[in-house]
Amino acid sequence: SLAEEEGKLYAEKWVPFVKELAVMVVKGAGDDVRAYPVVETTQRDSICDTVLAPAQVSAAVAERAASLARTAVAQLEGRGIYGVELFLTASGDVLLNEIAPRPHNSGHYTIEACETDQFEQHLRAITGLPLGSCALRVPAALMVNVLGDATSSEAASFALLRQSLRVPGASAHFYGKAGVRPGRKLGHVTLTASSIEELTQRVNALSPEAAKNSGLLALERQPLVGIVMGSDSDLPTMAAAADMLEKFGVPYELTIVSAHRTPTRMYEYAQSAVTRGLKVLIAGAGGAAHLPGMLAALTPLPVVGVPVKTSTLNGEDSLLSIVQMPRGVPVATVAIGNSTNAGLLAVRILGARDEALVDAMATFLDTQKREVDAKIEKMASSGWKEYLHNM
């Protein structure tokens, strides 16, 4: 009976997790313990299927996961690389699941995606060499395991490796194992990209099933730009910025934040912008127009100010209020009522880290040029009087 086997029973409580997270941690000489980015993993038939880097969790959750992993590995004696697996619960708690004292399947993505891969890092640690950087060198990556097909067919099992040769940013790894059996790890494919959106497209080209299983298709696009205005009366002016961001496929949020009527909300919005994933703020205001400048004083993010036209001074008061910022608190200010340019400027700022947006902007500029060239040709052929008459 169980009572007779006292002391030999081990039980684990079921954890109702919402995501499985993992962190590769390296322990070097002395107190040098470093963590790689937090990733999220998915399983298929209890075998690791995909690893997404970085994990699509809040900065606070990522920090808790990395801190827990570092603290746990710091208590161990052996030097080298460790794979730390964790659970994330619906309440936001991060729980330690297990620690593997070796290079780990959840760390294979580091070969293409990180400045120092897990294998090199392990050798550095055990030989006493200085540890390398654990940072990502690409914005987004997904590792997909190549598993033996249920029928043990080599053609079906290696289809993923063959398809990867046709996908930009994909790197195939074949393990050279003899024979195929269901669920056996035969290799992996790592895809890298300049954004989560581009990664999703590339993974979908590799395998729609992998895109679905990894959770990429279900991800809600997090806003990168925050559009705020002091009053709902500013919405007709600010709508053009939102339209422009939609044209470029840039996710955004739009809301009302009044510097004078809701100062506490303004403080909270500005100071939480970075942790919520925003990269640029566009702020429209009229009259005294303090909103853009106050936001710029409260956040390290770039702020684009839009002077809203007023009935008294035609927006000149708004323009001067926004553009005349004191030294050290910059606000990029566009023309009165021209939130279109605010949207375009936000796209260009984001383009510093997203080549796809740079290409899209180049296309936009070329389209503008073609439109003007067509008007030049039409005016030259019809004459300016007829052209004017038909305008």
Side-chain angles (χ1 to χ4, degrees):
S1 68
L2 290 177
E4 294 172 344
E5 296 294 322
E6 186 178 355
K8 296 183 180 180
L9 179 64
Y10 179 80
E12 289 185 343
K13 181 180 178 181
W14 169 253
V15 177
F17 60 85
V18 294
K19 283 189 177 184
E20 292 186 75
L21 305 179
V23 187
M24 297 305 300
V25 178
V26 60
K27 184 174 184 181
D31 298 327
D32 196 357
V33 179
R34 306 183 188 184
Y36 280 81
V38 179
V39 301
E40 56 184 272
T41 66
T42 62
Q43 317 297 316
R44 183 166 43 143
D45 298 327
S46 300
I47 302 173
C48 182
D49 186 26
T50 66
V51 177
L52 175 62
Q56 298 302 290
V57 296
S58 69
V61 167
E63 177 52 37
R64 285 202 299 275
S67 177
L68 179 58
R70 284 194 304 266
T71 301
V73 170
Q75 308 307 310
L76 305 176
E77 294 184 4
R79 291 191 307 197
I81 196 81
Y82 292 81
V84 182
E85 297 183 350
L86 311 112
F87 293 128
L88 174 64
T89 68
S91 62
D93 293 328
V94 179
L95 306 177
L96 182 64
N97 178 22
E98 66 178 48
I99 301 176
R102 55 177 170 79
H104 198 258
N105 197 199
S106 64
H108 287 342
Y109 78 96
T110 62
I111 299 172
E112 283 79 26
C114 293
E115 293 183 355
T116 310
D117 69 67
Q118 64 169 342
F119 300 100
E120 178 184 340
Q121 198 76 284
H122 183 63
L123 292 175
R124 285 175 177 242
I126 63 176
T127 57
L129 294 173
L131 299 182
S133 168
C134 298
L136 284 170
R137 55 188 176 93
V138 294
L142 184 81
M143 190 279 295
V144 183
N145 269 326
V146 176
L147 304 176
D149 182 69
T151 63
S152 298
S153 162
E154 289 194 2
S157 298
F158 294 121
L160 206 64
L161 289 177
R162 291 194 297 272
Q163 178 61 18
S164 70
L165 302 178
R166 300 181 174 89
V167 181
S171 299
H173 297 262
F174 172 55
Y175 298 163
K177 294 180 178 179
V180 173
R181 62 173 182 267
R184 190 181 195 189
K185 293 178 182 176
L186 304 172
H188 71 269
V189 176
T190 298
L191 300 101
T192 60
S194 61
S195 65
I196 285 292
E197 290 74 27
E198 183 180 58
L199 181 66
T200 302
Q201 294 172 357
R202 290 181 172 183
V203 176
N204 204 39
L206 175 72
S207 164
E209 182 183 13
K212 179 180 178 181
N213 293 345
S214 67
L216 282 171
L217 294 182
L219 282 177
E220 291 186 7
R221 300 185 70 198
Q222 295 298 313
L224 297 178
V225 179
I227 303 176
V228 294
M229 63 206 79
S231 168
D232 61 349
S233 62
D234 300 332
L235 183 56
T237 297
M238 301 305 294
D243 290 340
M244 190 54 65
L245 293 176
E246 289 181 7
K247 181 176 292 187
F248 281 86
V250 174
Y252 66 90
E253 62 183 30
L254 188 150
T255 189
I256 298 170
V257 178
S258 173
H260 302 110
R261 301 180 185 89
T262 60
T264 301
R265 173 172 165 76
M266 179 192 65
Y267 269 77
E268 292 172 349
Y269 186 89
Q271 294 183 334
S272 67
V274 172
T275 58
R276 290 188 293 111
L278 296 179
K279 304 300 180 185
V280 185
L281 299 183
I282 298 175
H290 290 152
L291 180 61
M294 288 303 299
L295 291 175
L298 292 167
T299 178
L301 296 177
V303 177
V304 182
V306 180
V308 175
K309 186 175 181 179
T310 56
S311 59
T312 50
L313 297 173
N314 292 318
E316 293 183 15
D317 47 350
S318 314
L319 173 62
L320 293 175
S321 179
I322 297 174
V323 79
Q324 291 284 55
M325 290 299 298
R327 185 179 292 109
V329 188
V331 173
T333 310
V334 297
I336 297 171
N338 194 347
S339 73
T340 295
N341 273 1
L344 287 170
L345 184 54
V347 172
R348 291 191 179 209
I349 293 171
L350 294 172
R353 297 185 61 183
D354 189 339
E355 291 184 5
L357 286 180
V358 174
D359 293 341
M361 182 59 70
T363 300
F364 174 81
L365 294 175
D366 184 63
T367 300
Q368 286 192 129
K369 176 183 178 298
R370 291 175 183 273
E371 290 174 352
V372 174
D373 287 342
K375 292 176 182 179
I376 293 172
E377 183 177 346
K378 184 177 180 180
M379 185 182 293
S381 61
S382 64
W384 70 266
K385 290 183 179 180
E386 182 179 342
Y387 187 93
L388 177 62
H389 177 74
N390 293 326
M391 285 184 66

